[in-house]
Structure formats: structure tokens, C-alpha cells
Amino acid sequence: MNPDATHSAVLIALDWGTSSLRAYRMGPDGRVLDTRHLPWGIMRLPAPSTDGPMPASAAVGFELAFEQACGDWLRAQPGLPVIACGMVGSAQGWAQAPYLDVPADPRGIGAQLAKVDTHRGAMLHIIPGLLQRQGLANVMRGEETQVVGLIDSEAGAGGTVDDDLLVGLPGTHCKWVRVRGGRIVEFDTFMTGEVYAALRGHTILGRTMKDPAAPDDAAFQRGLEVAGSALGQGGVLSTIFSTRALGLTGQLSAQAQPDYLSGLLIGHEAAALRALLDARGMPSRIVLCGDEDLCRRYASALPHFGLAAPTLAGLAAERGLWRLAVSAGLIRQP
């Protein structure tokens, strides 16, 4: 008779960011047995009820979110190790995990977990972020776990990634992470997603826009072409107002303007990335990891600027959480 699936887990893993919390219950082989998606990011946590006991600390919201995410899993199987990545380890999070200097590898990252004693008695282990000191200072927190998951997926039988990878992580703050021999050696951050949201929501550009019923690929490509042409040589600040001007002159519909602006911003990002790689040396491969629709946009943009067509890896956070739990000795790799 098969054992009760409730008692087959060896790890609880949390991907805890600014706006949401994903919880994974994982089996001995790293397979996800159960998952939950909660709206409790570090900037929006549940409030305690007025009745019943609650922890007497500033971490009440984190305790309540933790209980909703995995309290029943821990009651069913006490003593399961719990690991978390993301902004939960930031200065605004539950406990501040350190930043580790690059170069960094999974073993080194796993050796520096921060620990939080939760109200319910479980120990929460938080993965550190990464810090790049050379040039302009740069940091990441949460993305390193996705990259570790990708490294684990790419690793050969010898347990290392032999070639030179550039890992793109499109999102609010797009990260471009260089991986050599299984180590994270450098990275760049582009605030493309946040700038897009700010321009749409808080500038004159958004006043003439309407949400399209479906993505307008032609408008997106038009934005890419402007960013990559002589018209775009003045940089992003010289082109973004064209979103409004083309609309006022009847050359761009209100529904096409959001995708045109997206193409402009991603195009300028791709052009800047190309310049950085020309100076540093091209990677042997480019891999995109993250939201499928957003990765599709970046995949169409990169060749437009003379970069290699990337492969798409999908989401890798859960695999990275598993690998770092193994590296930290929280679980044994079967």
C-alpha cells in the first residue's frame, strides 16, 4: 500500500517576494507535491484578528502569512525543514539575510542561510541575496535562487555547467546574470518593467492609452524598430514621447500604444545589453527564465539587436530552493 502522500514530503520551500507568496511541499526527489499561491507579499501581510492568541512582536503579519502558507503541512509532518527566498530576507522583510559578494556558487550561497525562529516552533531558513561591488553597486534578492535552479537544470553528469551562460530574468527589475562554470560571476539590472508601469500609470503617456483585447505584436515590433534605428540613438528619453505623438497624429491607436511603449523600452534595454556584451565578450548561450509571455517578447527582441536567439527555461525558483536546501544540508540528495 502506498504511504499517505501527506507524509511523503521532505521540504517546505517558500518563494516570498514583494507582492506574493508561493509555497511548495516537496518530495524526496525534489518533485513538487503541492503548491499554494497567496497574496501576502512583504508589503501586504494579513492582519491579526481581535480575538485569540497571537505572537507579541512586530512580525505578526509574517507569522500569520507563514501559518496560512504551510501551517497545516507542518502540523501533519512536524520537523520538516523550511527554506525561503526573496524579499522576505530584505531589510523590510521578516529577518535580514546577508548579501554575499559575487562570484558565488550554490554551495557558498547555501552555507550562509539566515535563520528565523517562528512562533509555531519551526525554523525558517532564508537564502541570502547577492552583491556586486565592481563598477556601480548592484544587488539581487530572489533572482539568485532562480539562477541556481537553472544551473541545476543545466548541470551535466559532473555536476557543473561547463559553458558561459547569460541568464535573463525579465520582470519588474530585469536581471541579466553571467554564469561561468556553475558560478554567478556578474549581473546587470534594468528597471524596464517598473518604468513601463510608472509611465503608463503616472505620466501623460497613459492618458491616451487603452488596454488591448490581445497583445499587439505589430505595435511591439514597431517599438523595437524605433529603438534600434537612427531615431532611437538619442536614448530612451528621446523616444518615449513618440507613444503619445503617434497617437495624436493618428498613426498609432490607443490600443496599440501600450505594446508600442513596451517595444520601445525592451528595445532600448536590448540595445544597451548588446553594448555591454560587446565590451565584455559574448556568452556561448542566452537563456530566459520567467513568465512565458514576457520571455516571448524578450526572445523576439534580442535577435533584432544582433544577439543570439535565446532558449526559454520557464520558472526555476522551486528547483533552486531545492538545490540550496541540499547545499545547506537541510535535506539529503537521494
Side-chain angles (χ1 to χ4, degrees):
M1 183 174 62
N2 291 331
D4 186 339
T6 302
H7 299 288
S8 62
V10 298
L11 179 71
I12 293 173
L14 307 177
D15 183 1
W16 202 335
T18 302
S19 59
S20 66
L21 166 59
R22 290 187 182 273
Y24 305 96
R25 192 170 62 90
M26 307 185 80
D29 55 356
R31 182 169 55 92
V32 175
L33 304 173
D34 199 1
T35 185
R36 290 172 178 163
H37 187 194
L38 301 172
W40 306 131
I42 68 160
M43 302 304 291
R44 180 176 179 265
L45 294 165
S49 61
T50 56
D51 56 341
M54 63 181 182
S57 74
V60 172
F62 287 104
E63 295 279 6
L64 293 172
F66 183 78
E67 175 65 27
Q68 290 185 31
C70 59
D72 58 335
W73 293 343
L74 288 167
R75 282 190 292 274
Q77 201 171 346
L80 274 180
V82 187
I83 192 169
C85 70
M87 291 298 287
V88 68
S90 69
Q92 295 75 39
W94 197 345
Q96 190 166 7
Y99 283 110
L100 305 183
D101 287 289
V102 294
D105 59 23
R107 184 180 297 275
I109 296 171
Q112 298 291 328
L113 304 186
K115 297 179 181 179
V116 178
D117 286 313
T118 69
H119 180 65
R120 68 166 359 271
M123 179 70 74
L124 174 65
H125 300 82
I126 302 179
I127 295 165
L130 296 183
L131 168 64
Q132 181 172 276
R133 298 181 188 273
Q134 65 267 30
L136 285 175
N138 210 340
V139 296
M140 69 167 74
R141 192 178 289 282
E143 294 94 348
E144 77 293 319
T145 302
Q146 294 186 64
V147 176
V148 168
L150 182 63
I151 291 172
D152 193 54
S153 299
E154 294 278 332
T160 61
V161 179
D162 295 324
D163 55 356
D164 180 3
L165 298 178
L166 181 67
V167 182
L169 301 159
T172 303
H173 299 160
C174 184
K175 303 286 185 183
W176 292 96
V177 185
R178 200 72 176 253
V179 178
R180 293 193 182 102
R183 305 174 76 207
I184 296 172
V185 297
E186 62 184 356
F187 57 95
D188 297 283
T189 303
F190 290 83
M191 291 180 61
T192 306
E194 186 166 1
V195 169
Y196 173 79
L199 290 173
R200 283 203 63 179
H202 301 285
T203 74
I204 193 69
L205 300 183
R207 299 296 181 90
T208 57
M209 291 184 183
K210 292 183 179 178
D211 290 326
D216 190 329
D217 290 339
F220 178 79
Q221 288 296 322
R222 185 174 184 178
L224 288 181
E225 289 166 6
V226 170
S229 71
L231 297 172
Q233 289 181 355
V236 65
L237 294 180
S238 74
T239 60
I240 54 176
F241 190 73
S242 66
T243 308
R244 177 175 173 83
L246 289 170
L248 294 177
T249 56
Q251 299 177 65
L252 200 64
S253 71
Q255 291 82 2
Q257 290 173 37
D259 288 301
Y260 172 78
L261 178 61
S262 175
L264 277 179
L265 294 176
I266 291 176
H268 281 294
E269 178 182 344
L273 179 65
R274 171 62 192 267
L276 289 172
L277 294 176
D278 281 342
R280 298 172 184 170
M282 287 290 171
S284 59
R285 288 192 297 134
I286 301 176
V287 182
L288 295 176
C289 181
D291 175 78
E292 183 177 351
D293 290 337
L294 193 53
C295 284
R296 179 181 63 86
R297 293 198 162 210
Y298 275 81
S300 70
L302 297 186
H304 190 86
F305 292 86
L307 295 167
T311 57
L312 305 182
L315 299 172
E318 59 266 37
R319 185 156 187 156
L321 285 159
W322 170 266
R323 174 50 52 198
L324 289 172
V326 172
S327 296
L330 298 180
I331 52 177
R332 290 184 178 275
Q333 180 73 49

